[in-house]
Amino acid sequence: QVRLVESGGGLVQPGGSLRLSCAASGIRFSIYPMGWYRQTPGKQREWVAVITAGGSTSYADSVKGRFTISRDNAENTLGLQMNSLKPEDTAVYYCNVQVDLVQFWGQGTQVTVSS
């Protein structure tokens, strides 16, 4: 059974930093690309970043240069370091994996950027 559990969200001032984590279980973590998405009320879920099994990364233009996605295959965890946060980064952040054409999501963690 695939399980993804996000943590690390919270309230931060503009310009601040947060680090999100996603603990994965039930999969052979090291062989799958892993992604981060985010969603605000009334909007579609938005792709943020992805990291391949080999460690290559890609980012949405809105976060490029500010966010860094990482993975620890020994610990089965996915990370997202978020720097220079802006109010528009406020959202619920989800980690994601696709296994055999099925999308799996965690419960999400709320990030609020506000003064």
Side-chain angles (χ1 to χ4, degrees), residues 70-87:
S70 62
R71 65 191 301 156
D72 184 338
N73 290 335
E75 297 292 331
N76 288 3
T77 58
L78 178 71
L80 185 68
Q81 178 65 42
M82 305 186 296
N83 298 329
S84 302
L85 282 161
K86 305 175 181 180

Side-chain angles (χ1 to χ4, degrees), residues 47-111:
W47 171 71
V48 174
V50 66
I51 185 166
T52 68
S56 297
T57 59
S58 185
Y59 299 92
D61 286 344
S62 58
V63 307
K64 200 172 294 183
R66 300 187 298 122
F67 290 12
T68 302
I69 189 171
S70 62
R71 65 191 301 156
D72 184 338
N73 290 335
E75 297 292 331
N76 288 3
T77 58
L78 178 71
L80 185 68
Q81 178 65 42
M82 305 186 296
N83 298 329
S84 302
L85 282 161
K86 305 175 181 180
E88 51 264 43
D89 294 318
T90 295
V92 178
Y93 283 72
Y94 299 89
C95 66
N96 166 268
V97 65
Q98 179 175 305
V99 179
D100 296 334
L101 302 180
V102 177
Q103 300 283 349
F104 291 92
W105 303 90
Q107 84 289 348
T109 186
Q110 175 71 48
V111 171

Side-chain angles (χ1 to χ4, degrees), residues 17-74:
S17 298
L18 277 177
R19 180 173 177 81
L20 306 183
S21 292
C22 172
S25 59
I27 59 171
R28 191 177 164 192
F29 180 81
S30 63
I31 69 171
Y32 293 102
M34 298 291 299
W36 285 100
Y37 289 72
R38 64 188 182 186
Q39 189 170 24
T40 54
K43 292 188 176 181
Q44 284 193 327
R45 198 163 291 187
E46 172 191 28
W47 171 71
V48 174
V50 66
I51 185 166
T52 68
S56 297
T57 59
S58 185
Y59 299 92
D61 286 344
S62 58
V63 307
K64 200 172 294 183
R66 300 187 298 122
F67 290 12
T68 302
I69 189 171
S70 62
R71 65 191 301 156
D72 184 338
N73 290 335

